[in-house]
Amino acid sequence: METNTTSPPFPGSHSFNNSTCSRDNLLKTVVFPVLYSFLFLLGLVLNSVAVWVFFRIPSKSHFIIYLKNIVVADVIMTFTFPFKVLSDSNMASTGLRIFVCRVSSVLFYLTMYISILFFGLISIDRCIKTLRPFRGTNAARLVRRKLLSGAIWTFLLVLCLPNVILTCKTPTSPYFKCGDLKTEAGLYWHQVVNHVCQVIFWGNLVTVIISYTLITKELYRSYSRSTGGTISRAPSGASTRKPHRAKRKMSANVFLVLAVFFVCFVPFHFARVPYTMSQTQGFLFDCKLKLFFFQLKESTLFLSSLNSVLDPLIYFFLCKSFRTTLFKALRLAPGTCSRLTGRGSEDTVSTI
């Protein structure tokens, strides 16, 4: 969410024509629209399967509750891609571009930050499961997690709604930017949203780093204990190293959440720092440098969009209920699950 009043509002619409430094180059009008088109088709398939599977899974753990919320966010984000494709490729009508400014781009960023918040909660949940693997749950805790999920959606919807309401001015040029549609109050609120979303990201980044630092330490201690003694021998004389290797593989799956978070969300938020400076302090940057930071921001924004197709990896490898339901629906042999995930009949703390 760029902070200056001349840049796209609740970041999303990137329409920009300037006789001296146009952003309408091959990257913006062809490359990214093609990439987002493929992303839309892939995301539509994967998230449709995820919705179909999760619809059959009861919310019996905190982890499943959080995953279901991410599925909803991913579905909404996926349906914003066609509007971005039409807008960036300059194929959209004026009315559709106004819709992108008012609604579509707002939904895109809304779902991004909802995902970031739930990634933080999942990291905390995985940390607790690793440190206290025998800690159970109960109906009261599940209700509290559902209320927390509802509060997150309500908070961000209320935060973003003024960006829709206050983007109501009529464009005076066919080459308008989203900021041109905002009232004075809308421009101010956009800056407020910008700062709040910065806090959300950096707060969750710290949460994720701390959680996975603790997880790593605990897994290392567990691995040290399991390999510290004399290797036992099976009756046939075979070593029991293989179960240890399987256990390490199982534990490694926990870090999928960390990997997806860093691949999707970290580059964009780091790239936004120089991009925002190039917009708010434009006199310090020449045309080519501004264009470079714009392209950098768009490239990392695409990485953020990849979240919608990478999340199903988390569902499959970390959620036992998801795998079981999926394989049962596909009528695959139970052993298929073990071969694909590296798990035996027992799950580690990384799965639910």
Side-chain angles (χ1 to χ4, degrees):
M1 280 144 268
E2 295 74 14
T3 56
N4 82 318
T5 59
T6 59
S7 63
F10 194 100
S13 174
H14 308 294
S15 299
F16 180 97
N17 270 347
N18 186 305
S19 59
T20 61
C21 191
S22 175
R23 293 177 177 179
D24 286 334
N25 51 33
L26 183 67
L27 185 67
K28 174 184 177 292
T29 60
V30 178
V31 176
F32 281 125
V34 170
L35 290 176
Y36 275 104
S37 296
F38 281 115
L39 198 62
F40 168 70
L41 295 175
L42 183 59
L44 189 62
V45 172
L46 293 178
N47 287 297
S48 296
V49 173
V51 170
W52 180 68
V53 172
F54 274 119
F55 183 76
R56 291 161 170 75
I57 300 175
S59 300
K60 61 181 181 180
S61 72
H62 306 162
F63 188 45
I64 291 177
I65 292 173
Y66 299 152
L67 291 182
K68 286 184 175 182
N69 281 274
I70 290 179
V71 171
V72 175
D74 286 345
V75 169
I76 296 174
M77 176 182 282
T78 299
F79 279 107
T80 68
F81 294 157
F83 300 106
K84 180 170 177 59
V85 168
L86 293 173
S87 178
D88 286 356
S89 61
N90 296 330
M91 297 173 60
S93 64
T94 298
L96 185 58
R97 288 172 56 206
I98 292 174
F99 175 81
V100 170
C101 289
R102 294 195 66 190
V103 180
S104 178
S105 63
V106 175
L107 287 176
F108 177 90
Y109 284 89
L110 165 71
T111 53
M112 177 194 292
Y113 286 96
I114 283 177
S115 293
I116 288 173
L117 280 168
F118 280 103
F119 266 75
L121 291 174
I122 286 174
S123 298
I124 294 173
D125 181 73
R126 297 299 84 193
C127 183
I128 294 173
K129 276 289 182 181
T130 303
L131 299 178
R132 302 173 62 183
F134 301 108
R135 181 175 183 265
T137 188
N138 55 46
R141 287 175 181 164
L142 293 177
V143 170
R144 286 197 292 268
R145 295 312 181 276
K146 292 176 182 179
L147 291 175
L148 175 61
S149 300
I152 289 173
W153 280 90
T154 301
F155 169 72
L156 285 177
L157 283 170
V158 170
L159 184 70
C160 295
L161 187 59
N163 283 286
V164 177
I165 298 174
L166 299 175
T167 306
C168 57
K169 295 172 67 175
T170 302
T172 57
S173 166
Y175 305 115
F176 64 89
K177 302 182 293 291
C178 288
D180 299 333
L181 306 181
K182 286 187 175 294
T183 63
E184 185 175 350
L187 293 171
Y188 172 76
W189 188 256
H190 169 67
Q191 295 184 26
V192 172
V193 173
N194 220 337
H195 293 309
V196 172
C197 289
Q198 289 281 2
V199 171
I200 289 174
F201 169 74
W202 293 105
N204 279 274
L205 178 61
V206 171
T207 299
V208 168
I209 291 174
I210 292 175
S211 296
Y212 279 91
T213 299
L214 295 174
I215 289 173
T216 302
K217 289 181 177 180
E218 177 60 27
L219 292 180
Y220 178 77
R221 284 195 294 266
S222 176
Y223 173 69
S224 298
R225 288 194 298 267
S226 67
T227 59
T230 303
I231 298 176
S232 61
R233 297 282 176 176
S236 61
S239 170
T240 58
R241 289 183 186 273
K242 186 174 180 180
H244 290 315
R245 288 197 298 270
K247 182 176 182 180
R248 290 198 297 273
K249 184 175 181 179
M250 288 183 262
S251 299
N253 287 336
V254 183
F255 294 93
L256 272 175
V257 175
L258 181 67
V260 172
F261 186 91
F262 269 82
V263 168
C264 294
F265 302 125
V266 172
F268 170 71
H269 287 85
F270 275 93
R272 271 185 50 206
V273 174
Y275 172 73
T276 301
M277 290 180 61
S278 72
Q279 299 299 298
T280 58
Q281 303 177 40
F283 60 91
L284 298 176
F285 302 84
D286 63 20
C287 171
K288 289 184 179 179
L289 198 55
K290 287 182 180 180
L291 184 58
F292 169 76
F293 286 133
F294 168 76
Q295 292 173 339
L296 179 64
K297 188 263 296 184
E298 285 294 293
S299 299
T300 54
L301 185 66
F302 179 74
L303 290 179
S304 296
S305 303
L306 284 177
N307 172 65
S308 62
V309 298
L310 292 179
D311 285 341
L313 292 177
I314 296 175
Y315 312 150
F316 184 82
F317 284 101
L318 295 188
C319 185
K320 180 183 177 182
S321 299
F322 183 90
R323 293 193 309 273
T324 302
T325 304
L326 178 62
F327 281 113
K328 186 180 296 184
L330 297 176
R331 297 181 179 179
L332 295 177
T336 307
C337 183
S338 300
R339 290 193 296 272
L340 291 175
T341 63
R343 291 177 171 84
S345 59
E346 296 295 330
D347 273 89
T348 65
V349 295
S350 65
T351 59
I352 292 295

PDB file of all heavy atoms in Angstrom, residues 141-169:
ATOM      1  N   ARG A 141     -11.757 -23.986  23.549  1.00  0.00           N
ATOM      2  CA  ARG A 141     -10.633 -23.427  22.790  1.00  0.00           C
ATOM      3  C   ARG A 141     -10.958 -23.297  21.313  1.00  0.00           C
ATOM      4  O   ARG A 141     -10.573 -22.316  20.664  1.00  0.00           O
ATOM      5  CB  ARG A 141      -9.396 -24.308  22.975  1.00  0.00           C
ATOM      6  CG  ARG A 141      -8.757 -24.195  24.356  1.00  0.00           C
ATOM      7  CD  ARG A 141      -7.615 -25.178  24.494  1.00  0.00           C
ATOM      8  NE  ARG A 141      -7.015 -25.102  25.816  1.00  0.00           N
ATOM      9  CZ  ARG A 141      -6.207 -26.028  26.323  1.00  0.00           C
ATOM     10  NH1 ARG A 141      -5.918 -27.112  25.604  1.00  0.00           N
ATOM     11  NH2 ARG A 141      -5.688 -25.880  27.532  1.00  0.00           N
ATOM     12  N   LEU A 142     -11.676 -24.276  20.778  1.00  0.00           N
ATOM     13  CA  LEU A 142     -12.064 -24.200  19.372  1.00  0.00           C
ATOM     14  C   LEU A 142     -12.995 -23.023  19.122  1.00  0.00           C
ATOM     15  O   LEU A 142     -12.877 -22.320  18.114  1.00  0.00           O
ATOM     16  CB  LEU A 142     -12.735 -25.504  18.937  1.00  0.00           C
ATOM     17  CG  LEU A 142     -11.846 -26.753  18.907  1.00  0.00           C
ATOM     18  CD1 LEU A 142     -12.668 -27.971  18.519  1.00  0.00           C
ATOM     19  CD2 LEU A 142     -10.676 -26.571  17.949  1.00  0.00           C
ATOM     20  N   VAL A 143     -13.920 -22.795  20.039  1.00  0.00           N
ATOM     21  CA  VAL A 143     -14.840 -21.654  19.904  1.00  0.00           C
ATOM     22  C   VAL A 143     -14.057 -20.351  19.929  1.00  0.00           C
ATOM     23  O   VAL A 143     -14.320 -19.428  19.139  1.00  0.00           O
ATOM     24  CB  VAL A 143     -15.903 -21.675  21.021  1.00  0.00           C
ATOM     25  CG1 VAL A 143     -16.691 -20.365  21.035  1.00  0.00           C
ATOM     26  CG2 VAL A 143     -16.857 -22.852  20.832  1.00  0.00           C
ATOM     27  N   ARG A 144     -13.059 -20.258  20.829  1.00  0.00           N
ATOM     28  CA  ARG A 144     -12.251 -19.037  20.912  1.00  0.00           C
ATOM     29  C   ARG A 144     -11.479 -18.801  19.615  1.00  0.00           C
ATOM     30  O   ARG A 144     -11.352 -17.657  19.160  1.00  0.00           O
ATOM     31  CB  ARG A 144     -11.293 -19.119  22.098  1.00  0.00           C
ATOM     32  CG  ARG A 144     -11.971 -18.947  23.443  1.00  0.00           C
ATOM     33  CD  ARG A 144     -10.974 -18.617  24.530  1.00  0.00           C
ATOM     34  NE  ARG A 144     -10.083 -19.742  24.808  1.00  0.00           N
ATOM     35  CZ  ARG A 144     -10.305 -20.674  25.723  1.00  0.00           C
ATOM     36  NH1 ARG A 144     -11.430 -20.626  26.445  1.00  0.00           N
ATOM     37  NH2 ARG A 144      -9.441 -21.647  25.921  1.00  0.00           N
ATOM     38  N   ARG A 145     -10.977 -19.860  18.999  1.00  0.00           N
ATOM     39  CA  ARG A 145     -10.241 -19.698  17.733  1.00  0.00           C
ATOM     40  C   ARG A 145     -11.178 -19.261  16.612  1.00  0.00           C
ATOM     41  O   ARG A 145     -10.800 -18.471  15.742  1.00  0.00           O
ATOM     42  CB  ARG A 145      -9.537 -21.007  17.359  1.00  0.00           C
ATOM     43  CG  ARG A 145      -8.435 -21.447  18.303  1.00  0.00           C
ATOM     44  CD  ARG A 145      -7.469 -20.324  18.637  1.00  0.00           C
ATOM     45  NE  ARG A 145      -6.404 -20.731  19.510  1.00  0.00           N
ATOM     46  CZ  ARG A 145      -6.476 -20.791  20.827  1.00  0.00           C
ATOM     47  NH1 ARG A 145      -7.615 -20.510  21.446  1.00  0.00           N
ATOM     48  NH2 ARG A 145      -5.419 -21.130  21.550  1.00  0.00           N
ATOM     49  N   LYS A 146     -12.399 -19.759  16.621  1.00  0.00           N
ATOM     50  CA  LYS A 146     -13.370 -19.330  15.612  1.00  0.00           C
ATOM     51  C   LYS A 146     -13.744 -17.863  15.802  1.00  0.00           C
ATOM     52  O   LYS A 146     -13.877 -17.110  14.828  1.00  0.00           O
ATOM     53  CB  LYS A 146     -14.618 -20.213  15.678  1.00  0.00           C
ATOM     54  CG  LYS A 146     -14.374 -21.663  15.234  1.00  0.00           C
ATOM     55  CD  LYS A 146     -15.618 -22.516  15.404  1.00  0.00           C
ATOM     56  CE  LYS A 146     -15.358 -23.964  15.002  1.00  0.00           C
ATOM     57  NZ  LYS A 146     -16.546 -24.828  15.186  1.00  0.00           N
ATOM     58  N   LEU A 147     -13.901 -17.464  17.060  1.00  0.00           N
ATOM     59  CA  LEU A 147     -14.195 -16.054  17.335  1.00  0.00           C
ATOM     60  C   LEU A 147     -13.025 -15.167  16.928  1.00  0.00           C
ATOM     61  O   LEU A 147     -13.217 -14.064  16.390  1.00  0.00           O
ATOM     62  CB  LEU A 147     -14.508 -15.869  18.824  1.00  0.00           C
ATOM     63  CG  LEU A 147     -15.823 -16.488  19.321  1.00  0.00           C
ATOM     64  CD1 LEU A 147     -15.949 -16.331  20.834  1.00  0.00           C
ATOM     65  CD2 LEU A 147     -17.020 -15.829  18.627  1.00  0.00           C
ATOM     66  N   LEU A 148     -11.802 -15.641  17.178  1.00  0.00           N
ATOM     67  CA  LEU A 148     -10.615 -14.888  16.771  1.00  0.00           C
ATOM     68  C   LEU A 148     -10.565 -14.745  15.256  1.00  0.00           C
ATOM     69  O   LEU A 148     -10.265 -13.654  14.734  1.00  0.00           O
ATOM     70  CB  LEU A 148      -9.355 -15.600  17.274  1.00  0.00           C
ATOM     71  CG  LEU A 148      -8.007 -15.012  16.825  1.00  0.00           C
ATOM     72  CD1 LEU A 148      -7.866 -13.580  17.334  1.00  0.00           C
ATOM     73  CD2 LEU A 148      -6.848 -15.882  17.306  1.00  0.00           C
ATOM     74  N   SER A 149     -10.890 -15.820  14.549  1.00  0.00           N
ATOM     75  CA  SER A 149     -10.911 -15.772  13.082  1.00  0.00           C
ATOM     76  C   SER A 149     -11.933 -14.761  12.585  1.00  0.00           C
ATOM     77  O   SER A 149     -11.651 -13.955  11.685  1.00  0.00           O
ATOM     78  CB  SER A 149     -11.227 -17.159  12.516  1.00  0.00           C
ATOM     79  OG  SER A 149     -10.263 -18.112  12.916  1.00  0.00           O
ATOM     80  N   GLY A 150     -13.117 -14.786  13.191  1.00  0.00           N
ATOM     81  CA  GLY A 150     -14.141 -13.823  12.813  1.00  0.00           C
ATOM     82  C   GLY A 150     -13.713 -12.399  13.096  1.00  0.00           C
ATOM     83  O   GLY A 150     -13.994 -11.479  12.309  1.00  0.00           O
ATOM     84  N   ALA A 151     -13.015 -12.188  14.217  1.00  0.00           N
ATOM     85  CA  ALA A 151     -12.548 -10.855  14.580  1.00  0.00           C
ATOM     86  C   ALA A 151     -11.516 -10.341  13.570  1.00  0.00           C
ATOM     87  O   ALA A 151     -11.512  -9.150  13.225  1.00  0.00           O
ATOM     88  CB  ALA A 151     -11.951 -10.882  15.984  1.00  0.00           C
ATOM     89  N   ILE A 152     -10.641 -11.230  13.090  1.00  0.00           N
ATOM     90  CA  ILE A 152      -9.638 -10.831  12.104  1.00  0.00           C
ATOM     91  C   ILE A 152     -10.299 -10.373  10.808  1.00  0.00           C
ATOM     92  O   ILE A 152      -9.967  -9.316  10.255  1.00  0.00           O
ATOM     93  CB  ILE A 152      -8.664 -11.994  11.839  1.00  0.00           C
ATOM     94  CG1 ILE A 152      -7.761 -12.208  13.059  1.00  0.00           C
ATOM     95  CG2 ILE A 152      -7.822 -11.736  10.589  1.00  0.00           C
ATOM     96  CD1 ILE A 152      -6.881 -13.436  12.968  1.00  0.00           C
ATOM     97  N   TRP A 153     -11.246 -11.159  10.315  1.00  0.00           N
ATOM     98  CA  TRP A 153     -11.954 -10.781   9.091  1.00  0.00           C
ATOM     99  C   TRP A 153     -12.717  -9.468   9.286  1.00  0.00           C
ATOM    100  O   TRP A 153     -12.682  -8.587   8.413  1.00  0.00           O
ATOM    101  CB  TRP A 153     -12.923 -11.888   8.687  1.00  0.00           C
ATOM    102  CG  TRP A 153     -12.283 -13.030   7.983  1.00  0.00           C
ATOM    103  CD1 TRP A 153     -11.764 -14.158   8.553  1.00  0.00           C
ATOM    104  CD2 TRP A 153     -12.063 -13.178   6.578  1.00  0.00           C
ATOM    105  NE1 TRP A 153     -11.249 -14.992   7.592  1.00  0.00           N
ATOM    106  CE2 TRP A 153     -11.420 -14.426   6.365  1.00  0.00           C
ATOM    107  CE3 TRP A 153     -12.370 -12.378   5.474  1.00  0.00           C
ATOM    108  CZ2 TRP A 153     -11.059 -14.882   5.102  1.00  0.00           C
ATOM    109  CZ3 TRP A 153     -12.024 -12.837   4.197  1.00  0.00           C
ATOM    110  CH2 TRP A 153     -11.374 -14.071   4.027  1.00  0.00           C
ATOM    111  N   THR A 154     -13.390  -9.334  10.420  1.00  0.00           N
ATOM    112  CA  THR A 154     -14.171  -8.117  10.678  1.00  0.00           C
ATOM    113  C   THR A 154     -13.274  -6.893  10.750  1.00  0.00           C
ATOM    114  O   THR A 154     -13.569  -5.843  10.161  1.00  0.00           O
ATOM    115  CB  THR A 154     -14.954  -8.263  11.994  1.00  0.00           C
ATOM    116  OG1 THR A 154     -15.819  -9.401  11.903  1.00  0.00           O
ATOM    117  CG2 THR A 154     -15.777  -7.016  12.279  1.00  0.00           C
ATOM    118  N   PHE A 155     -12.163  -7.024  11.459  1.00  0.00           N
ATOM    119  CA  PHE A 155     -11.230  -5.897  11.613  1.00  0.00           C
ATOM    120  C   PHE A 155     -10.705  -5.424  10.259  1.00  0.00           C
ATOM    121  O   PHE A 155     -10.733  -4.223   9.950  1.00  0.00           O
ATOM    122  CB  PHE A 155     -10.063  -6.303  12.517  1.00  0.00           C
ATOM    123  CG  PHE A 155      -8.924  -5.320  12.519  1.00  0.00           C
ATOM    124  CD1 PHE A 155      -9.048  -4.098  13.151  1.00  0.00           C
ATOM    125  CD2 PHE A 155      -7.729  -5.625  11.872  1.00  0.00           C
ATOM    126  CE1 PHE A 155      -8.004  -3.173  13.136  1.00  0.00           C
ATOM    127  CE2 PHE A 155      -6.678  -4.725  11.854  1.00  0.00           C
ATOM    128  CZ  PHE A 155      -6.819  -3.496  12.495  1.00  0.00           C
ATOM    129  N   LEU A 156     -10.250  -6.354   9.423  1.00  0.00           N
ATOM    130  CA  LEU A 156      -9.679  -5.951   8.144  1.00  0.00           C
ATOM    131  C   LEU A 156     -10.752  -5.467   7.165  1.00  0.00           C
ATOM    132  O   LEU A 156     -10.500  -4.562   6.360  1.00  0.00           O
ATOM    133  CB  LEU A 156      -8.881  -7.105   7.544  1.00  0.00           C
ATOM    134  CG  LEU A 156      -7.521  -7.348   8.208  1.00  0.00           C
ATOM    135  CD1 LEU A 156      -6.824  -8.553   7.597  1.00  0.00           C
ATOM    136  CD2 LEU A 156      -6.623  -6.122   8.085  1.00  0.00           C
ATOM    137  N   LEU A 157     -11.940  -6.049   7.236  1.00  0.00           N
ATOM    138  CA  LEU A 157     -13.024  -5.552   6.379  1.00  0.00           C
ATOM    139  C   LEU A 157     -13.400  -4.121   6.742  1.00  0.00           C
ATOM    140  O   LEU A 157     -13.590  -3.271   5.865  1.00  0.00           O
ATOM    141  CB  LEU A 157     -14.244  -6.474   6.493  1.00  0.00           C
ATOM    142  CG  LEU A 157     -14.171  -7.799   5.728  1.00  0.00           C
ATOM    143  CD1 LEU A 157     -15.323  -8.712   6.130  1.00  0.00           C
ATOM    144  CD2 LEU A 157     -14.186  -7.553   4.216  1.00  0.00           C
ATOM    145  N   VAL A 158     -13.505  -3.858   8.047  1.00  0.00           N
ATOM    146  CA  VAL A 158     -13.820  -2.500   8.499  1.00  0.00           C
ATOM    147  C   VAL A 158     -12.697  -1.543   8.123  1.00  0.00           C
ATOM    148  O   VAL A 158     -12.925  -0.392   7.735  1.00  0.00           O
ATOM    149  CB  VAL A 158     -14.057  -2.492  10.030  1.00  0.00           C
ATOM    150  CG1 VAL A 158     -14.145  -1.063  10.559  1.00  0.00           C
ATOM    151  CG2 VAL A 158     -15.333  -3.257  10.374  1.00  0.00           C
ATOM    152  N   LEU A 159     -11.461  -2.019   8.216  1.00  0.00           N
ATOM    153  CA  LEU A 159     -10.314  -1.193   7.868  1.00  0.00           C
ATOM    154  C   LEU A 159     -10.308  -0.836   6.390  1.00  0.00           C
ATOM    155  O   LEU A 159      -9.958   0.288   6.000  1.00  0.00           O
ATOM    156  CB  LEU A 159      -9.025  -1.930   8.233  1.00  0.00           C
ATOM    157  CG  LEU A 159      -7.710  -1.174   8.036  1.00  0.00           C
ATOM    158  CD1 LEU A 159      -7.594  -0.038   9.056  1.00  0.00           C
ATOM    159  CD2 LEU A 159      -6.519  -2.121   8.163  1.00  0.00           C
ATOM    160  N   CYS A 160     -10.712  -1.779   5.549  1.00  0.00           N
ATOM    161  CA  CYS A 160     -10.636  -1.589   4.101  1.00  0.00           C
ATOM    162  C   CYS A 160     -11.879  -0.951   3.496  1.00  0.00           C
ATOM    163  O   CYS A 160     -11.809  -0.383   2.401  1.00  0.00           O
ATOM    164  CB  CYS A 160     -10.383  -2.933   3.421  1.00  0.00           C
ATOM    165  SG  CYS A 160      -8.799  -3.677   3.817  1.00  0.00           S
ATOM    166  N   LEU A 161     -13.008  -1.057   4.169  1.00  0.00           N
ATOM    167  CA  LEU A 161     -14.264  -0.554   3.595  1.00  0.00           C
ATOM    168  C   LEU A 161     -14.202   0.915   3.188  1.00  0.00           C
ATOM    169  O   LEU A 161     -14.702   1.272   2.108  1.00  0.00           O
ATOM    170  CB  LEU A 161     -15.412  -0.794   4.578  1.00  0.00           C
ATOM    171  CG  LEU A 161     -16.811  -0.476   4.061  1.00  0.00           C
ATOM    172  CD1 LEU A 161     -17.126  -1.322   2.824  1.00  0.00           C
ATOM    173  CD2 LEU A 161     -17.858  -0.727   5.156  1.00  0.00           C
ATOM    174  N   PRO A 162     -13.595   1.802   3.991  1.00  0.00           N
ATOM    175  CA  PRO A 162     -13.504   3.204   3.550  1.00  0.00           C
ATOM    176  C   PRO A 162     -12.746   3.379   2.236  1.00  0.00           C
ATOM    177  O   PRO A 162     -12.996   4.343   1.511  1.00  0.00           O
ATOM    178  CB  PRO A 162     -12.756   3.886   4.714  1.00  0.00           C
ATOM    179  CG  PRO A 162     -13.089   3.043   5.907  1.00  0.00           C
ATOM    180  CD  PRO A 162     -13.123   1.638   5.376  1.00  0.00           C
ATOM    181  N   ASN A 163     -11.816   2.467   1.914  1.00  0.00           N
ATOM    182  CA  ASN A 163     -11.119   2.568   0.634  1.00  0.00           C
ATOM    183  C   ASN A 163     -12.075   2.359  -0.530  1.00  0.00           C
ATOM    184  O   ASN A 163     -11.840   2.868  -1.635  1.00  0.00           O
ATOM    185  CB  ASN A 163      -9.996   1.530   0.573  1.00  0.00           C
ATOM    186  CG  ASN A 163      -8.786   1.934   1.381  1.00  0.00           C
ATOM    187  OD1 ASN A 163      -8.036   2.813   0.990  1.00  0.00           O
ATOM    188  ND2 ASN A 163      -8.616   1.313   2.529  1.00  0.00           N
ATOM    189  N   VAL A 164     -13.144   1.617  -0.293  1.00  0.00           N
ATOM    190  CA  VAL A 164     -14.169   1.424  -1.321  1.00  0.00           C
ATOM    191  C   VAL A 164     -15.088   2.643  -1.372  1.00  0.00           C
ATOM    192  O   VAL A 164     -15.344   3.212  -2.436  1.00  0.00           O
ATOM    193  CB  VAL A 164     -14.988   0.151  -1.033  1.00  0.00           C
ATOM    194  CG1 VAL A 164     -16.105  -0.006  -2.063  1.00  0.00           C
ATOM    195  CG2 VAL A 164     -14.083  -1.077  -1.030  1.00  0.00           C
ATOM    196  N   ILE A 165     -15.559   3.054  -0.199  1.00  0.00           N
ATOM    197  CA  ILE A 165     -16.539   4.144  -0.128  1.00  0.00           C
ATOM    198  C   ILE A 165     -15.950   5.473  -0.589  1.00  0.00           C
ATOM    199  O   ILE A 165     -16.598   6.259  -1.305  1.00  0.00           O
ATOM    200  CB  ILE A 165     -17.077   4.265   1.315  1.00  0.00           C
ATOM    201  CG1 ILE A 165     -17.791   2.968   1.716  1.00  0.00           C
ATOM    202  CG2 ILE A 165     -18.007   5.468   1.440  1.00  0.00           C
ATOM    203  CD1 ILE A 165     -18.218   2.944   3.173  1.00  0.00           C
ATOM    204  N   LEU A 166     -14.703   5.739  -0.184  1.00  0.00           N
ATOM    205  CA  LEU A 166     -14.089   7.040  -0.450  1.00  0.00           C
ATOM    206  C   LEU A 166     -13.356   7.104  -1.787  1.00  0.00           C
ATOM    207  O   LEU A 166     -12.720   8.108  -2.094  1.00  0.00           O
ATOM    208  CB  LEU A 166     -13.131   7.399   0.690  1.00  0.00           C
ATOM    209  CG  LEU A 166     -13.779   7.510   2.074  1.00  0.00           C
ATOM    210  CD1 LEU A 166     -12.727   7.740   3.148  1.00  0.00           C
ATOM    211  CD2 LEU A 166     -14.825   8.628   2.092  1.00  0.00           C
ATOM    212  N   THR A 167     -13.439   6.039  -2.585  1.00  0.00           N
ATOM    213  CA  THR A 167     -12.909   6.073  -3.956  1.00  0.00           C
ATOM    214  C   THR A 167     -14.104   6.291  -4.882  1.00  0.00           C
ATOM    215  O   THR A 167     -14.603   5.361  -5.520  1.00  0.00           O
ATOM    216  CB  THR A 167     -12.180   4.750  -4.293  1.00  0.00           C
ATOM    217  OG1 THR A 167     -11.193   4.495  -3.307  1.00  0.00           O
ATOM    218  CG2 THR A 167     -11.509   4.830  -5.652  1.00  0.00           C
ATOM    219  N   CYS A 168     -14.580   7.527  -4.924  1.00  0.00           N
ATOM    220  CA  CYS A 168     -15.869   7.790  -5.556  1.00  0.00           C
ATOM    221  C   CYS A 168     -15.860   8.963  -6.538  1.00  0.00           C
ATOM    222  O   CYS A 168     -16.908   9.311  -7.089  1.00  0.00           O
ATOM    223  CB  CYS A 168     -16.922   8.040  -4.470  1.00  0.00           C
ATOM    224  SG  CYS A 168     -16.501   9.398  -3.358  1.00  0.00           S
ATOM    225  N   LYS A 169     -14.711   9.568  -6.774  1.00  0.00           N
ATOM    226  CA  LYS A 169     -14.649  10.694  -7.710  1.00  0.00           C
ATOM    227  C   LYS A 169     -14.704  10.201  -9.153  1.00  0.00           C
ATOM    228  O   LYS A 169     -14.282   9.082  -9.460  1.00  0.00           O
ATOM    229  CB  LYS A 169     -13.385  11.511  -7.455  1.00  0.00           C
ATOM    230  CG  LYS A 169     -13.362  12.186  -6.090  1.00  0.00           C
ATOM    231  CD  LYS A 169     -12.022  12.832  -5.796  1.00  0.00           C
ATOM    232  CE  LYS A 169     -11.762  14.009  -6.710  1.00  0.00           C
ATOM    233  NZ  LYS A 169     -10.503  14.705  -6.340  1.00  0.00           N
TER     234      LYS A 169
END
